[in-house]
Amino acid sequence: MLSMNNQIHIIGAGIMGLMIARNLLAAGRQVLLYDKGKVGAESSWAGGGILSPLYPWRYPQPVTELALRSQALYPGIVRQLYKNTGIDPELAQTGMLVLSVADLGIIHDWAAHYHVKYRVSNQADISQIEPNLTPSLIRQALIFPDIGHIRNPRLISALRADLLQNGCELRENTEITAIDLHNNKPRKLVTTRGDINTEQVIVCAGAWTSKLLKGLGFGIPIEPVAGQMLMYKAKPGLVNHIILNKKRYLIPRLDGRVLVGSTLENAGFNKFTTDEARESLQNTAVEMVPALADYKIEAQWAGLRPGSPRGIPYMGGYPGIENLWVCSGHFRNGLVLAPASAEFMTALVLGQETNFNQPEFALDRAS
Ligand SMILES: Cc1cc2nc3c(=O)[nH]c(=O)nc-3n(C[C@H](O)[C@H](O)[C@H](O)COP(=O)(O)OP(=O)(O)OC[C@H]3O[C@@H](n4cnc5c(N)ncnc54)[C@H](O)[C@@H]3O)c2cc1C
């Protein structure tokens, strides 16, 4: 029988909780994973799945380093998940095309520093590879050939199946309402389905993280930032790359569907979809690829990103409390940052070395 201190309780089964659970199971830990709803049904389902920050050169170094490490880890993770579960998360190395860019000098230096491949292309080149793109938008464009995307709802299904195969105890529809302490250590999770004894807890509660931790005394500035998206039921070949223009983007799924994202809204914990956002995203889509007007909008949805200052996640031990860790605040980039974040968190929890600089993610950092 496994001892209590081999058990780790993870609160929140979004991409963070799922990936950390996978690593800890692989390290021989017993994992109990809780979610107030269904696995991965919040931001991690709602996201677009681009495996890069938008305008990646504009992000602070800790985010860039996590993104680059994750990009290296993703192909192996996806291969393994597909092999174990038969569910293909559809990792697609389409490349990302960035239109209307001004800061070429900064991009050049950034790309050279981090060894990121990119090229500047002219209108003739772009028209060849994206023939449906509005010609007047393409005077000049950047192409990042190594950037891709993943079909995040499938990634979640694959992770769920993989965790269950590997003995994870999954408790959906179980909300943790408080973490009870004794001698500055977790003792009990108070849940909507009764109390559960615990000694080690990782909080991966996304946009709800601050709400859950409020009672423990140390505040972390993680706030919900809503985002809406649309999906067109288009055909393969209509859009070939992720295309980014004026902070909005198109993502081509392998079956031809095209996602359009996204809005940024401070509306508390509301996940409404609105006609205004639909119209605005529709205009974005048709301005970029006029032929999209001929296809049906199949879905519109909203999700709550875990917003944090400068988009730098909070990952580390909770100040003043032993055996309580937090991994949250990945804002717009949780899908791309998840594998490296999970690797970092696993090392912290197991007391192992990590190549990342812990103070940059610490909960009590300056900002
Ligand atoms: C419109 C949109 C587009 C996006 N596009 C991209 C993109 O292209 N690329 C990218 O990298 N990122 C993208 N993101 C961001 C990304 O989705 C998030 O950063 C990421 O999903 C956060 O993962 P998480 O596990 O921290 O949070 P979540 O996925 O929100 O998971 C947190 C989980 O915790 C559970 N929970 C909360 N409180 C409790 C509690 N008290 N008890 C039990 N369970 C609890 C919730 O139910 C939830 O399932 C996008 C987000 C949105 C909304």
Side-chain angles (χ1 to χ4, degrees), residues 34 77 102 113 138 197 300 348 363:
Y34 304 87
I77 293 174
H113 182 77
I138 334 174
N197 291 335
Q300 178 182 8
L348 279 192
L363 276 62

Side-chain angles (χ1 to χ4, degrees), residues 26-168:
R29 291 304 185 100
Q30 192 190 16
V31 178
L32 294 91
L33 178 58
Y34 304 87
D35 203 285
K36 63 180 175 57
K38 294 273 175 215
V39 165
E42 293 289 351
S43 195
S44 300
W45 176 88
I50 300 174
L51 296 183
S52 167
L54 304 176
Y55 305 100
W57 59 92
R58 295 182 187 164
Y59 276 83
Q61 182 186 329
V63 173
T64 303
E65 288 178 354
L66 284 175
L68 294 173
R69 176 68 185 148
S70 284
Q71 286 160 356
L73 289 170
Y74 253 117
I77 293 174
V78 166
R79 217 176 301 124
Q80 197 68 50
L81 287 173
Y82 191 19
K83 188 170 157 228
N84 292 357
T85 68
I87 302 169
D88 181 2
E90 294 190 2
L91 177 67
Q93 201 87 17
T94 53
M96 180 166 78
L97 223 151
V98 188
L99 310 178
S100 327
V101 189
D103 27 8
L104 280 182
I106 294 169
I107 296 164
H108 177 81
D109 293 348
W110 174 86
H113 182 77
Y114 290 109
H115 309 289
V116 173
K117 272 195 230 156
Y118 82 103
R119 61 179 192 274
V120 182
S121 290
N122 60 27
Q123 194 170 28
D125 290 342
I126 303 294
S127 307
Q128 289 274 320
I129 59 171
E130 282 295 352
N132 297 305
L133 192 56
T134 302
S136 61
L137 288 180
I138 334 174
R139 252 165 273 123
Q140 197 181 49
L142 298 183
I143 301 179
F144 292 88
D146 293 340
I147 291 178
H149 56 89
I150 198 150
R151 197 157 184 165
N152 34 309
R154 292 192 183 203
L155 174 65
I156 288 160
S157 300
L159 281 165
R160 186 183 192 281
D162 188 64
L163 292 185
L164 290 175
Q165 271 177 30
N166 286 296
C168 180

